[in-house]
Each structure stands twice: as C-alpha cells, then as structure tokens.
Amino acid sequence: MIKELHEKLIKKQISAKELAKQYLDNIKNKNQILNAFITITEQQALEQAEKIDELIVREEKLPVLAGIPASIKDVIMTEGIQTTAGSQILKNYVAPYDASLVKKLKEQGMVLLGKNNCDEFAMGGSGENSSFGPTKNPYDLTRVSGGSSSGSAVAVAAGLSVYSIGTDTGGSVRQPAAFCGVVGFKPTYGAISRYGLIAMASSLDQAGIIAKCIEDVEIVFDCVKGKDRLDSTSLEFPISNESFAFIPQNCGMSAEPPQFPNKSQNSNFKFKDFKVGVPREYFIKGLNKEVEQAVKDVIEKAQELGAKIIDVSLPNSEYALAVYYIIMPSEASANLARYDGIRYGNSPREKYFGDEVKRRIMLGAYALSAGYYDAYYKKAQQVRTLIRQDFEKVLDQVDILITPTTPSPAFKLGEKIADPLQMYLEDIFTVPVNVAGLPAISMPCGKTKNNLPIGVQLIGKWLEDSKLLTVAKKIEDVVKYINN
Ligand code: GLN
C-alpha cells in the first residue's frame, strides 16, 4: 500500500495534502465511534504534507515514507504534542523531544495524523484500561480491539492511518493486530531504539509496527531500525542471511532515499526444505476451535508447498505468563516511580493512576521487596533463562515457529475487565516471545463464522527479522490462496 501511494504521489496523481485530508476526514467521520485517537494533529499534518508537496513540485527524490499519513501510539514521545500514555496522570503533558524512532520517521517525511489511544501505560490486553475510554473493534463495535496498542490497530484496520507505531511488552502490537485483522510486527529486542518510549518494563519493551501488509511493515522497519547512541540496548542491525537479504537501507533524508525491498532478491525463497516448527504447547485445551483450525490450515498449506513441518516442544513456555507477570510489574513499579507529581505527572497519584496501574505497581513493589526478592523476582529471572534456552534449542532445528497469536478472537467489551487473571491469560501465546527477546509477527489468517479476524503468529530467530518478514510474505500468499 505504501508503495502504491508513493507512486501516486510522485506521479502527481494525488498530492500529499489531498491524501492527508482524506485520512483526516476518515478520522473525523469514524473516530467518535472507534476512539482510536487521543490527539489529532490536523494542523501539523497539513503543514507537513504541504512541505512534501513542495518537494514533489521541485521533482526532488522523495523518501519512501514521505507524505504517507501515519499515527503513533500515545506512549511514544512526539515533540510539542500532548503525550499521555493513556493516563490522566500525563493529561496535558507535552513531550519536549521526539523519540528516536519518531525523529527517523520525520526525516523520512512522515505526515503525522495524531496519537493513538492505548491502555494506560501500555498495561492491558483489550484497550479498556485507557483513561480516555476503550477503543472499539471495527469488525464488531461491541467487542474489544485488543491492547495495549488498541488505537494503532484500529486506526490501520479502519483506514484512519496507513501505518502506526505501537509498543509490545508482552504482545501489545501482535494481539490487537490479530483482533483487528491487520499485521503487527514486534522485532528482536533492541532492533528499534527505546529512547523516547514511555517505559513500562525496560527489559521487555519494544516498539513495533502495525500496517495492512507485510511489505508496508518491512518498509517502515527499514526506516526505524538500528543502533541509537541514546539507547545502549539498541542493536546494530545486521542483515541476517544473504539469501533473504534486502538492499541495505539508508533512511536519512539528507542521504540517498531508501529503496523498496527488491522483490527479485526475495523470490529465491522457496518453501522446499524450509523447516517450520509447531510447538505443541501452543495448541492447548481452551484454544478456540475456529482459531485452531485457521492456523492449522496455514500449516497444512505450507506443507503442501514443500515446507517440512516439525513438531517441537517448548516445555518451559507454560511458566512464561507467570514469569512475565513478575518481571513486568517489578520493572514497571521502578519505572513509574518518577510520576510523583513533582518531577512528572499530575498530582495526587492515587487520583490520576488507574486501577490496573496501581495493581501492577503494588505487585511489582511486593515482588522486589527485601523478603520476597529471591522467591519471586530472582526465581522469575532464572526461569526466564530456561524459557530462552528452550527457544534457542528449538530454533536451532527449525527456521521459524508457527502458533496462534491469541487463544480466542476479539471478546466482548466488559467481558474480562473485572477479572485480571482472565485478561492476563489472553497473553499466553505472545509473552514468551518478549521474555526471550525474539522477533515475531502476527498476520491475518482467516475469519470466524461471525466475521471476526483471526491471527497467526510467526516467531523467528534473534536478529533474523528480515528473514522472518520474507517468510511472512510467503505465508501472506498462502493465506490469500486459502481464502480465495
Ligand atoms: N497484555 C499485556 C499486559 O497487559 C501486554 C502489554 C504490552 O505488551 N504492552 O501486560
């Protein structure tokens, strides 16, 4: 989609301003119902679009994302724009600087339409924890959109932005993508700088991309990935495997504009002898039957095309949820200590923090307290190593893993909000990936009888993000084939 829009822009079939207006109109028409945006930056968007139009008139080389309307989850800092993290404690907080990834996108000529709604401090799996009200699922307005990047997934699904940047600490990019029928990609931990992300759990947080197709995700990823001196955990981003390699990208506006991934370079990918691992722990009792069938159909089709399907086991995955819900609140309780109403945030805290945030601060403070540190936090870190080792072992034998993204399709608004444990179970297939720091993607693989989207998750090896995206494109073809 980005590629087509880019071509239309350079051929002057549409101006960047007209394109921005189309999307802003969509937002005006639908946002009141869907609640996908907390802040709409109409004025800035139109000004940015005008600048791009000037480049087009002068026939200057146009960077790949120039003029493409996008949105950003409201836990990511955007200079001069209200950035709330979905919380009343940061209501009216205006970010004094851009997150590194935002800076990179601006260098590309992004047209920023606004900031997407999300669960408060990215804590949630349904979008219902936002203090700005829940985001509704465009496929069924009585259902949740998934979370915590709820507004990002809905904005893309409903045509309110072309792509959005979300964050994924335990599934928050992949799970809403699955519920809303779009693609959600969480790269290897460290692939995209965390500088300027409002921290939830620093050893798990990772920015990710939500878009309509894998190619769009790939284009945006190429522009935001790589080492950032402002985030010491960010990584130089190697191209993992020559046969899957894309053209090396250089995304600075000042330098040569990046090129689109070259199709012919990827076309040498064949399913033949490609090894797909199917972890048996992800096909458990309680998994929704329609979700199970849709994922199995993808696996079967991949096999018909020559992939070797291998039954694998990740025995410690069953502890991933418990490990996550100790490590994440522990880190969150430390990160959120800064909202003391003096340095940051509206005061008093007890009034402006929502229930889920308070719950996690208390859980985290408890797990880290002197008497319990060894029993909880330390133990959880030890099991985290075992989970990671399971993946290491299995990913030595196979190229990727295929699993469902979520145990069920989108559930009803209000269905789980009163029962945090039920809600946490929604993350069962996504959190192991963050605990291990792996790249993973959720992509649509079908619909239920009620027309609700179903997501399939592909998990790749560390740093082999581009290979994962290449395989995902092939699976995308498989899914199209099944659905036709
Ligand atoms: N649903 C998970 C949680 O509530 C994941 C959140 C996230 O990835 N930001 O913690």
Side-chain angles (χ1 to χ4, degrees), residues 219-237:
I219 291 169
V220 178
F221 181 53
D222 272 334
C223 295
V224 291
K225 70 184 181 188
K227 185 80 188 163
D228 174 19
R229 65 179 180 81
L230 297 170
D231 171 8
S232 59
T233 61
S234 65
L235 303 169
E236 290 293 350
F237 222 77

Side-chain angles (χ1 to χ4, degrees), residues 326 328-334 358-373 376:
I326 291 173
M328 176 275 299
S330 299
E331 293 183 11
S333 74
K358 286 184 198 161
R359 182 178 295 123
R360 295 196 193 196
I361 291 174
M362 286 192 284
L363 280 171
Y366 182 80
L368 290 178
S369 60
Y372 295 102
Y373 178 89
Y376 294 113

Side-chain angles (χ1 to χ4, degrees), residues 36-49:
F37 282 81
I38 292 175
T39 305
I40 301 161
T41 50
E42 177 168 6
Q43 198 52 37
Q44 287 109 310
L46 294 174
E47 280 166 21
Q48 283 158 348

Side-chain angles (χ1 to χ4, degrees), residues 73 119 121-126 129 147-149 167-175 200 205 324-325 328 356 360 423-424 426-427 430-431 434:
K73 182 179 183 178
D119 284 300
F121 286 97
M123 296 177 186
S126 69
N129 290 338
S148 62
S149 308
T167 58
D168 191 312
T169 304
S172 280
V173 160
R174 290 161 285 155
Q175 190 248 22
M200 176 185 177
D205 290 348
Y324 173 83
Y325 276 100
M328 176 275 299
E356 186 61 29
R360 295 196 193 196
M423 190 71 93
Y424 298 168
E426 275 302 303
D427 308 329
T430 48
V431 292
N434 302 71

